[in-house]
């Protein structure tokens, strides 16, 4: 029962799951960048890559860890947010919010936007690929590429995706930095360095994910 009683441990666990999810986002982006290849090449390459991952026992184990991390991260975030709200009355006259960024003060809202998008994302891509019946490409592979391209032909879906990615970017900028502090990195030198790395990481990842739907929308 220590997991439910120790808020510090919860913070550590949320930090570790957050860093794991951040690492996954890098790997996921690398795979998705194949969508920027010329159409015919992108279709075969992306579908081959998707089939390779879906048939790997190692990736399946990692996937279970990913799903668990998402749930644990979300539950811990909700618990800590509620606890912070309960204690906020003690700081009613505290004006420390002027020293923090707006996205640092609205991490829960950003997280809710990301979680809602994940539900949509799983429904539109993961579930049809895993359990639905989708077409095959020229090599007889499940044509996930065409499913993605068709989805991003709708301007509103591109905007929805862009809003979620922007929320993710701001969430990462503060989240990666906050995670290192939760794990005990308080040195003034490293704090400045990690804050800079977090900013660059959030911006690069956001741009990487944003360019894909915009490219597919314009070219299809």
């Amino acid at each position: 029962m220590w997991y439910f009683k120790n808020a510090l441990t919860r913070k550590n666990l949320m930090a570790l799951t957050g860093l794991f999810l951040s690492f996954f986002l890098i790997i996921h982006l690398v795979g998705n960048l194949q969508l920027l290849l010329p159409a015919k090449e992108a279709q075969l390459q992306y579908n081959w890559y998707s089939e390779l991952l879906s048939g790997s026992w190692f990736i399946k184990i990692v996937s279970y860890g990913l799903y668990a991390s998402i749930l644990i991260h979300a539950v811990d975030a909700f618990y800590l947010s509620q606890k912070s709200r309960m204690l906020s009355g003690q700081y009613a006259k505290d004006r420390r919010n002027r020293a923090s960024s707006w996205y640092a003060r609205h991490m829960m809202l950003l997280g809710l936007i990301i979680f809602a998008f994940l539900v949509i994302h799983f429904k539109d891509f993961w579930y049809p690929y895993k359990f639905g019946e989708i077409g095959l490409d020229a090599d007889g592979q499940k044509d996930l590429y065409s499913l993605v391209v068709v989805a991003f032909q709708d301007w509103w879906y591109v905007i929805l995706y862009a809003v979620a990615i922007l929320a993710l970017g701001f969430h990462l900028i503060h989240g990666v930095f906050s995670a290192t502090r939760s794990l005990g990195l308080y040195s003034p030198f490293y704090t400045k360095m990690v804050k800079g790395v977090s900013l660059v990481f959030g911006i690069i990842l956001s741009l990487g994910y944003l360019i894909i739907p915009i490219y597919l929308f314009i070219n299809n």
Side-chain angles (χ1 to χ4, degrees):
M1 297 296 292
W2 59 271
Y3 171 77
F4 296 98
K5 296 178 180 178
N6 193 328
L8 179 60
T9 302
R10 276 183 174 273
K11 284 187 177 181
N12 292 342
L13 190 57
M14 190 167 73
L16 290 172
T17 53
L19 292 175
F20 172 73
L21 292 171
S22 298
F23 176 74
F24 168 79
L25 286 169
I26 299 173
I27 304 301
H28 190 57
L29 176 59
V30 171
N32 282 358
L33 287 175
Q34 296 174 100
L35 294 167
L36 302 180
L37 295 170
K40 290 185 178 180
E41 183 182 351
Q43 182 182 32
L44 296 178
Q45 182 67 26
Y46 186 71
N47 291 339
W48 172 84
Y49 172 77
S50 300
E51 195 163 294
L52 177 68
L53 293 185
S54 65
S56 169
W57 63 267
F58 175 73
I59 297 300
K60 287 182 180 179
I61 294 175
V62 173
S63 297
Y64 296 141
L66 172 66
Y67 306 147
S69 294
I70 292 173
L71 291 175
I72 291 171
H73 194 76
V75 169
D76 279 350
F78 179 77
Y79 172 84
L80 292 171
S81 176
Q82 291 300 108
K83 183 172 182 178
S84 177
R85 183 173 299 179
M86 290 172 61
L87 295 174
S88 63
Q90 300 178 22
Y91 307 102
K93 298 180 180 180
D94 196 339
R95 307 183 73 180
R96 284 176 296 177
N97 61 340
R98 291 192 173 186
S100 62
S101 58
W102 68 267
Y103 52 85
R105 299 193 301 274
H106 295 88
M107 287 291 282
M108 190 64 187
L109 174 61
L110 296 173
L112 287 173
I113 294 173
I114 297 166
F115 189 81
F117 177 75
L118 276 177
V119 173
I120 298 172
H121 195 68
F122 273 63
K123 177 186 74 70
D124 291 343
F125 302 120
W126 179 84
Y127 185 84
Y129 185 81
K130 289 287 187 180
F131 306 107
E133 294 184 6
I134 62 176
L136 305 178
D137 64 17
D139 287 346
Q141 304 165 130
K142 286 188 176 183
D143 196 4
L144 181 61
Y145 171 82
S146 293
L147 193 66
V148 173
V149 169
V150 169
F152 289 123
Q153 286 180 350
D154 293 322
W155 62 268
W156 63 267
Y157 199 88
V158 174
I159 292 176
L160 174 67
Y161 190 94
V163 169
I165 294 304
L166 289 174
L168 174 65
F170 286 116
H171 196 81
L172 288 172
I173 290 172
H174 179 71
V176 172
F177 170 70
S178 179
T180 59
R181 292 182 66 84
S182 295
L183 294 174
L185 187 60
Y186 288 100
S187 166
F189 172 77
Y190 289 112
T191 295
K192 291 182 179 179
M193 183 176 68
V194 172
K195 185 175 287 188
V197 170
S198 301
L199 177 63
V200 173
F201 177 70
I203 292 174
I204 291 178
L205 221 66
S206 298
L207 291 176
Y209 276 105
L210 279 174
I211 196 174
I212 296 171
I214 294 172
Y215 173 85
L216 294 177
F217 179 74
I218 293 173
N219 286 275
N220 292 282

